[in-house]
Amino acid sequence: MNELKLTLESVDPVQFWGANNEHYELVKSAFPKLKIVARGNEVKVLGDEQELKVFEKKYGQLISQLEKYSSLTANDVESILVSKKIQSADEPAAEKASNGGGGEVIVFGTNGLMVKARTANQRKMVESINKNDVLFAIGPAGTGKTYTAVALAVRALKNKEIKRIILTRPAVEAGENLGFLPGDLKEKVDPYLRPLYDALDDMIPAEKLKLYIENRTIEIAPLAFMRGRTLDNCFVILDEAQNSTDLQLKMFLTRMGPSAKFIVTGDITQIDLPKKQMSGLHNALRILEDIPGIDIIYLTGEDVVRHKLVKRILKAYGDIQ
């Protein structure tokens, strides 16, 4: 077994290894065949020679990132560790990730999955949420609006920009009468929230996601559960907003605390409310469009990222041109 000894000379070990050794755990998980021991500014690594060579190069890239930009986030660490090729150390991690093609990497998910902004309007969503605290992402099915929104929330949590993620939807049946559902409250509402769980499954390992949900770092709940609350230090996503009434949408938007980000997603072509009830989304888009700090992005058929037939189906139904 070979041994590699390294020293952290020019950077703070606490900043390098992250709060609660978060970066250290990411490094260990990326190199499961190596035994890595870090004490103070000394690092000792035991393992196969080829693995040690890869480790040493990645280690150097992490140090370069911290030296040049005085910052090293969990997302930076993941982007450097997951990348297949050895990139130039004089590029910031975000630029390295985006140069891989297919758009900017928003967050690194499970099993090395790179969750990217894949279309022009998805990239606009990424840019907009950096500048605005409320973002409406409106578009037909398959445009990735919810998936992109969840990725932005997970990135903010990983980078410790917020303390919690709250995901919510109106509990409205999509043209079906589901009747009586057995089980407790969670079992009754989970079917409505399943798409949000599916997105999180791609981005957070199962055990960690379970822990986040148990300790309420991530909360997934029906829209009605937001009433009377102040949502602060969190990233909040209202999905399927076309199925909320005017009063519900107003109630949701006014829950916003001083340090929060809100994303509202919706598809105005798929309203499942009873015929006599008006969707609140139309009115919100009309009266809020000129307020600074609120942005509205309309996704189109060009943003559909599902199977190629989805775009043709949407055209046939007249949802897109």
Side-chain angles (χ1 to χ4, degrees), residues 8-18 23 40-41 66-67 72:
L8 288 168
E9 295 178 343
S10 57
V11 296
D12 177 8
V14 175
Q15 194 176 8
F16 183 80
W17 293 121
H23 302 167
N41 64 345
L66 183 51
E67 284 178 336
L72 188 66

Side-chain angles (χ1 to χ4, degrees), residues 38 67 83 90 107 175 230 250 267 271 276 292 304:
E67 284 178 336
S83 61
D90 60 1
V107 71
T230 299
K250 178 184 175 183
D267 176 2
I271 297 172
K276 292 183 180 180
V304 173

Side-chain angles (χ1 to χ4, degrees), residues 1-4 33-35 45-52:
M1 185 173 286
N2 299 289
E3 181 179 302
L4 175 67
K33 296 179 182 179
L34 298 179
K35 181 179 180 182
V45 191
L46 301 172
D48 175 75
E49 182 179 1
Q50 190 58 38
E51 281 280 304
L52 291 177

Side-chain angles (χ1 to χ4, degrees), residues 285-306:
L285 296 174
R286 178 179 61 83
I287 66 177
L288 301 177
E289 64 178 346
D290 295 324
I291 296 179
I294 297 178
D295 192 18
I296 301 172
I297 293 174
Y298 290 93
L299 294 95
T300 70
E302 297 303 312
D303 299 295
V304 173
V305 290
R306 291 181 185 168

Side-chain angles (χ1 to χ4, degrees), residues 178-289:
L178 301 181
F180 173 78
L181 291 174
D184 60 20
L185 181 61
K186 183 177 185 300
E187 290 170 328
K188 291 178 190 294
V189 300
D190 270 1
Y192 297 104
L193 306 171
R194 189 68 251 171
L196 300 173
Y197 283 105
D198 290 343
L200 288 170
D201 284 340
D202 278 356
M203 301 174 203
I204 301 174
E207 286 302 313
K208 196 164 190 178
L209 178 57
K210 181 181 177 183
L211 177 63
Y212 279 157
I213 292 174
E214 286 175 352
N215 65 19
R216 296 175 67 83
T217 299
I218 294 178
E219 180 182 350
I220 307 174
L223 178 58
F225 284 33
M226 300 300 111
R227 189 174 299 280
R229 302 174 63 181
T230 299
L231 307 176
D232 198 20
N233 283 315
C234 55
F235 202 119
V236 189
I237 298 171
L238 170 59
D239 191 33
E240 301 286 354
Q242 75 276 5
N243 289 329
S244 58
T245 65
D246 203 33
L247 288 176
Q248 284 177 323
L249 199 45
K250 178 184 175 183
M251 176 275 292
F252 170 76
L253 292 170
T254 54
R255 301 306 93 204
M256 191 174 195
S259 302
K261 294 274 189 182
F262 275 36
I263 294 184
V264 178
T265 69
D267 176 2
I268 54 178
T269 68
Q270 290 189 348
I271 297 172
D272 301 311
L273 290 167
K275 289 183 179 179
K276 292 183 180 180
Q277 257 185 332
M278 295 290 293
S279 169
L281 187 56
H282 287 285
N283 191 41
L285 296 174
R286 178 179 61 83
I287 66 177
L288 301 177
E289 64 178 346

Side-chain angles (χ1 to χ4, degrees), residues 127-168:
E127 294 164 4
S128 177
I129 203 61
N130 293 330
K131 303 172 186 175
N132 301 285
D133 288 335
V134 177
L135 169 62
F136 285 81
I138 310 301
T143 50
K145 53 191 182 294
T146 300
Y147 198 80
T148 303
V150 172
L152 290 168
V154 172
R155 182 180 71 174
L157 182 65
K158 283 190 172 187
N159 289 342
K160 295 181 171 53
E161 296 165 12
I162 45 98
K163 292 181 179 178
R164 301 176 63 210
I165 294 173
I166 298 175
L167 308 175
T168 185

